[in-house]
């Protein structure tokens, strides 16, 4: 059994870096306990990313689309209220997700967004 993942979001110019809440050490996006993915897909809507619901640090909703005619493993990335969809989890990553993960908007890039995906029991917060 692995130890519960605890991450601090540390403010940066375009989003957040990650720090281990226990040790204070920086956590790299390549860490095997988490995933950082771009918002992608044929319905990727860059204009949706202007909505405050996608600001770095905001919680997001991962919504499975088993009836999606193009990909039965498709997982949409929505704002937390599920009123605006930005796009999808990359096709190669979606089948590896269990369906109960947490997602947080992490980093803005030109015309896009990186999303942090962590296990359901992970703690993601920011220092007071």
């Amino acid at each position: 059994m692995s130890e519960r993942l605890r991450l601090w979001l540390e403010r940066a110019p375009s989003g957040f870096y990650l720090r281990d809440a226990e040790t204070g050490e920086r956590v790299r996006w390549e860490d095997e306990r988490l995933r950082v993915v771009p918002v992608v897909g044929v319905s990727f809507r860059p204009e949706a990313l202007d909505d405050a619901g996608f600001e770095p640090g905001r919680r997001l909703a991962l919504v499975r689309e088993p009836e999606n005619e193009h990909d039965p493993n498709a997982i949409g990335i929505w704002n937390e209220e599920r009123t605006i969809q930005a796009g999808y989890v990359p096709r190669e990553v979606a089948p590896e997700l269990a369906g109960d993960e947490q997602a947080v908007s992490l980093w803005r890039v030109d015309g896009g967004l990186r999303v942090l995906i962590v296990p359901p029991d992970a703690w993601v917060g920011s220092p007071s």
Side-chain angles (χ1 to χ4, degrees):
M1 183 191 283
S2 62
E3 190 172 315
R4 180 178 179 198
L5 181 62
R6 292 179 175 94
L7 298 171
W8 285 121
L9 299 178
E10 179 182 295
R11 179 58 80 184
S14 296
F16 289 93
Y17 293 111
L18 303 172
R19 288 211 179 266
D20 183 293
E22 183 177 338
T23 67
E25 296 293 319
R26 187 167 278 180
V27 175
R28 298 184 54 82
W29 290 5
E30 298 82 13
D31 189 299
E32 64 186 28
R33 300 171 297 168
L34 54 92
R35 294 184 183 276
V36 175
V37 300
V39 176
V40 299
V42 294
S43 64
F44 172 62
R45 298 172 185 91
E47 66 279 0
L49 299 181
D50 292 335
D51 185 84
F54 294 103
E55 282 293 315
R58 296 290 303 264
R59 298 279 175 176
L60 302 175
L62 299 177
V63 180
R64 291 195 170 277
E65 297 182 5
E67 270 101 56
N68 185 305
E69 64 184 66
H70 304 289
D71 181 3
N73 295 309
I75 300 174
I77 299 175
W78 292 72
N79 63 341
E80 187 174 31
E81 296 79 22
R82 295 185 183 194
T83 57
I84 301 173
Q85 181 182 11
Y88 288 90
V89 170
R91 183 181 205 121
E92 59 276 2
V93 174
E96 299 171 3
L97 299 181
D100 56 355
E101 290 85 0
Q102 299 177 62
V104 177
S105 176
L106 189 62
W107 197 269
R108 287 194 185 278
V109 294
D110 290 336
L113 181 70
R114 297 296 181 265
V115 174
L116 171 67
I117 301 175
V118 295
D121 67 340
W123 179 86
V124 180
S126 55
S128 311

